[in-house]
Amino acid sequence: MKLFYLILIFIFPIISHAQVSDVKVQLEESYKNYENALKEIKFAITKLEDCDKTQSIDVIHKNASDANKYLSLAKRIISYAKDRAYHAEKEASKTNCSKVQDQVKDVKNYFYDAERDIASANGTLSIVKYNKRDLGLLNQSISDAETDINRALKKMNEAVFKLGNALVILQECNQK
């Protein structure tokens, strides 16, 4: 029986360290997904800025359609970031560091909110193609989509801030 406790005492820190490593890996993957989504969002923003520079309804339709494709991909990548944060949260629940779990839960929630904002921008841009005559309504739709994108970017930045906090707290817990 004493041997069992000795083994448990020596193995527990190893298991705990492995769980901390798993959390870190998931958070790092989440960050990589964030970076990739950000690239797609920047492409979409460029296309929407081109819409602001023209009076041609055909050019606006084309650029809005292109922006919508970039945003669809960004939404999917944000979903991957959210999923990685979810897995990190599950791994964090196995550690003795509840502060990390709280931070990671926030990361997941911010990515979820960003994903919803991008979906809203997608919806707005999807209806642009049905407006064939009213330049004012087209410009309003583009503006609404840009507002949703800016909200998403703000939430993504919050997610990354919390992700950084989680990594710092994780390091502190790992040293205990």
Side-chain angles (χ1 to χ4, degrees), residues 19-147:
Q19 290 165 341
V20 166
S21 294
D22 290 343
V23 173
K24 183 179 178 188
V25 166
Q26 294 295 332
L27 290 176
E28 288 171 346
E29 288 297 317
S30 185
Y31 183 76
K32 288 177 188 175
N33 288 315
Y34 157 81
E35 287 181 324
N36 292 332
L38 197 56
K39 289 176 189 173
E40 297 301 322
I41 291 170
K42 287 179 181 179
F43 290 142
I45 289 171
T46 301
K47 289 296 183 178
L48 293 177
E49 288 171 347
D50 290 345
C51 290
D52 292 336
K53 297 175 187 173
T54 186
Q55 297 294 315
S56 169
I57 290 176
D58 290 336
V59 172
I60 291 173
H61 284 160
K62 171 144 180 24
N63 286 334
S65 176
D66 290 346
N68 205 19
K69 290 174 189 173
Y70 290 125
L71 289 177
S72 293
L73 182 54
K75 180 180 166 281
R76 190 170 353 140
I77 296 169
I78 293 168
S79 176
Y80 300 153
K82 178 189 70 179
D83 291 347
R84 291 296 188 160
Y86 171 78
H87 293 301
E89 180 184 14
K90 290 293 185 193
E91 291 298 323
S93 70
K94 299 174 188 175
T95 67
N96 290 330
C97 198
S98 62
K99 290 180 183 179
V100 169
Q101 189 176 2
D102 293 340
Q103 293 293 314
V104 174
K105 183 178 181 179
D106 289 344
V107 170
K108 178 190 71 176
N109 291 336
Y110 279 120
F111 279 135
Y112 174 76
D113 290 344
E115 182 182 20
R116 287 180 48 214
D117 287 333
I118 293 295
S120 179
N122 270 132
T124 301
L125 291 176
S126 292
I127 62 171
V128 164
K129 64 184 169 190
Y130 299 111
N131 183 343
K132 302 291 184 188
R133 291 184 226 146
D134 192 339
L135 188 60
L137 285 177
L138 282 174
N139 288 331
Q140 183 59 49
S141 294
I142 300 298
S143 176
D144 292 346
E146 289 171 334
T147 299

Side-chain angles (χ1 to χ4, degrees), residues 8-20:
L8 189 61
I9 290 170
F10 287 112
I11 290 180
F12 184 73
I14 294 169
I15 292 171
S16 179
H17 179 68
Q19 290 165 341
V20 166

